[in-house]
Amino acid sequence: MKQPFVTKDQLVDIAERYPTPFHLYDEAGIRANARAVREAFSWNPGFREYFAVKANPNPTLVGILAEEGCGCDCSSLTELMIARLLGITGEKIMFSSNDTPAEDFRLARELGAIVNFDDISHIPFFEEVAGPVGPVASCRFNPGGLFRLANGIMDSPGDSKYGMTEEQLFEAYRMLVARGCATLGLHAFLASNTHGNEYYPALARILFELAVRLHEETGAHVGFVNLSGGVGIPYRPDDEPCDIRAIGEGVRRAYEEVLVPAGMDDVAIYTEMGRFMMGPYGCLVTLALHEKRIYKDYLGVDASAVDLIRPAMYGAYHHITVMGQAGGPDKSSWPASRTYDVTGNLCENNDKFAVDRALPEVERGDLLVIHDTGAHGYSMGYNYNGRLRSAEVLLREDGSTELIRRAETPSDYFATLDVTKGQSLRNIK
Ligand SMILES: *Cc1c(COP(=O)(O)O)cnc(C)c1O
């Protein structure tokens, strides 16, 4: 059974201090997992995980990962600013953006980030708007067609907007070598939320073989191969979790079979995981507000898709545990005797955290935990219906809690209006 990282009594306590809904994060889980990742790739002296900041841009959480040795994978101006805020600069930033605005490139250069070029045309664009490319740069590869592993089609890179064709990649490498880049990297992201332990090793083999050819044909020194993100997590109770140690071993085998015989045994392995680093270590805590029985049974909670859009956007499964309430029984292991659609309050019928979900009997005031919201949860939030974004709370290793982002207030919602142009705004407060 999938269990939350807090007990019912702990959660009741926390919810007395911070009004629901809020995202709750587990520092101990984040640190233990980051250490397991580092350990799994410890055979590679240059290994670095660049945490994909878009998955969870809370500076406190990014800072915890930085303490565990992670860099930042940024893709926008404000994500770069978060890295800078934390004192993360230079080669500890991978700037993996696409359709990149000039000011983003300018800040990336100012911070000395490694720029991972998404397109060959971005190289002259970068030089025009930001100045010379630094001594280290990277290119993103898109092999086109379908990406298959032994167990079937994983994704269709041919339909994806990212990366360069193989021909462009060789040309881009020649351009960068001619500009004096001493160290070049190679990056690709071919499948998202993968299960099993085969994705990284298969991707690594493709990129390693390509790296050998790039080195031979362009004379470039390939300093790193960046496997990007895509390692999945067990959202469903019966999903098998990825084994990061087995994944690291699979990459090592490909390394020894492809790179070492080519004399390229100094290549560093980089990753840019987001979901795997943070997903399981966050949950959305929400309160049961209304039970509505019409043609189906609806359980209305005080969170909505503005706090977690994945179910509404992708039909994504997020497990839900009914915890209960202060003074009441611990329902977290109760049998599922009812079937509900669990809904938020947006005027939008896809605002459902779950459809036809078997759950224990819920009463008004019960706390619910929506699992695995640590990545692409808060960060994909928005303000539809004028709904305000929730707080974020960190459960520290010592069991204490800390508010690491307050909830929005109506003033935040109205803050971007130009008050000099509207008298009536005075009435808002
Ligand atoms: C989204 C993204 C990641 C992280 O992906 P996960 O699936 O969360 O691991 C890494 N790199 C880039 C460039 C991305 O766009």
Side-chain angles (χ1 to χ4, degrees):
M1 196 187 302
K2 215 171 152 68
Q3 286 290 349
F5 55 79
V6 279
T7 64
K8 180 233 164 192
D9 288 343
Q10 257 179 315
L11 195 66
V12 164
D13 230 38
I14 296 170
E16 268 166 17
R17 241 163 309 147
Y18 310 100
T20 55
F22 54 85
H23 287 270
L24 179 68
Y25 302 104
D26 174 24
E27 180 183 16
I30 295 167
R31 287 191 188 274
N33 181 64
R35 286 171 197 170
V37 168
R38 206 170 52 190
E39 182 61 32
F41 288 91
S42 57
W43 56 268
N44 183 259
F47 173 77
R48 179 174 285 152
E49 152 69 8
Y50 290 84
F51 173 62
V53 172
K54 74 169 188 213
N56 194 323
N58 188 293
T60 304
L61 303 179
V62 179
I64 288 172
L65 286 174
E67 284 172 13
E68 297 297 336
C70 299
C72 286
D73 164 32
C74 302
S75 59
S76 68
L77 183 81
T78 47
E79 289 177 6
L80 286 167
M81 291 167 78
I82 289 166
R84 180 173 64 186
L85 182 76
L86 292 164
I88 298 166
T89 58
E91 291 182 17
K92 293 199 99 176
I93 304 176
M94 184 67 62
F95 187 57
S96 282
S97 66
N98 70 95
D99 187 20
T100 315
E103 62 174 340
D104 297 26
F105 271 150
R106 276 195 285 272
L107 183 57
R109 180 163 191 275
E110 196 181 302
L111 296 179
I114 301 177
V115 176
N116 180 32
F117 289 104
D118 179 69
D119 190 56
I120 189 164
S121 68
H122 291 189
I123 298 170
F125 178 80
F126 181 96
E127 290 174 318
E128 187 188 315
V129 301
V133 179
V136 184
S138 174
C139 294
R140 184 166 183 168
F141 173 53
N142 180 334
L146 296 174
F147 176 61
R148 289 188 178 83
L149 289 183
N151 50 354
I153 294 174
M154 303 288 289
D155 218 321
S156 46
D159 292 326
S160 129
K161 68 172 175 171
Y162 305 110
M164 311 180 193
T165 67
E166 188 173 307
E167 200 184 336
Q168 290 169 340
L169 181 68
F170 277 80
E171 183 56 28
Y173 256 58
R174 285 191 192 94
M175 286 165 73
L176 292 168
V177 168
R179 283 156 173 77
C181 287
T183 301
L184 290 181
L186 183 57
H187 168 283
F189 189 159
L190 302 186
S192 215
N193 193 29
T194 57
H195 296 285
N197 303 321
E198 297 313 308
Y199 169 62
Y200 263 6
L203 173 65
R205 196 170 288 274
I206 292 170
L207 295 180
F208 293 163
E209 286 169 356
L210 196 52
V212 171
R213 287 171 47 217
L214 282 162
H215 170 63
E216 284 169 356
E217 292 178 32
T218 70
H221 171 236
V222 182
F224 60 89
V225 166
N226 182 346
L227 302 174
S228 191
V231 179
I233 59 169
Y235 285 104
R236 292 175 183 271
D238 52 358
D239 282 346
E240 190 67 35
C242 289
D243 175 353
I244 196 67
R245 181 171 276 277
I247 291 172
E249 274 305 295
V251 174
R252 187 179 61 80
R253 271 195 301 279
Y255 194 98
E256 286 174 357
E257 286 167 27
V258 181
L259 288 180
V260 174
M264 294 170 64
D265 57 2
D266 63 340
V267 175
I269 303 298
Y270 294 163
T271 56
E272 293 175 339
M273 293 182 279
R275 195 187 312 272
F276 189 79
M277 301 307 290
M278 205 60 92
Y281 314 109
C283 64
L284 177 58
V285 179
T286 184
L287 192 75
L289 277 187
H290 299 284
E291 188 186 353
K292 170 170 183 172
R293 298 185 182 205
I294 47 171
Y295 307 103
K296 297 177 83 171
D297 289 355
Y298 294 95
L299 178 64
V301 298
D302 66 357
S304 71
V306 304
D307 304 299
L308 175 69
I309 199 179
R310 297 185 72 258
M313 194 164 172
Y314 310 119
Y317 181 95
H318 279 264
H319 198 64
I320 298 176
T321 302
V322 178
M323 303 295 273
Q325 52 192 283
D330 180 350
K331 296 187 174 182
S332 62
S333 55
W334 276 22
S337 56
R338 296 285 304 277
T339 302
Y340 296 103
D341 279 15
V342 180
T343 77
N345 44 34
L346 301 186
C347 302
E348 182 57 65
N349 196 41
N350 68 355
D351 182 19
K352 295 178 179 175
F353 292 112
V355 174
D356 297 330
R357 182 70 58 87
L359 289 175
E361 177 84 36
V362 181
E363 293 155 288
R364 202 171 87 181
D366 278 355
L367 289 167
L368 276 68
V369 162
I370 303 179
H371 292 246
D372 300 316
T373 67
H376 316 294
Y378 183 94
S379 66
M380 292 180 89
Y382 59 115
N383 281 117
Y384 193 56
N385 264 167
R387 290 290 168 196
L388 304 174
R389 300 173 70 183
S390 76
E392 295 184 288
V393 177
L394 178 63
L395 177 63
R396 287 284 187 191
E397 284 184 297
D398 65 4
S400 64
T401 52
E402 190 183 325
L403 185 66
I404 57 172
R405 190 193 300 268
R406 66 165 172 80
E408 280 183 343
T409 65
S411 320
D412 296 314
Y413 181 73
F414 295 115
T416 48
L417 296 172
D418 187 345
V419 289
T420 63
K421 294 208 179 116
Q423 289 269 324
S424 57
L425 281 177
R426 293 218 183 109
N427 302 328
I428 284 172
K429 293 186 187 141

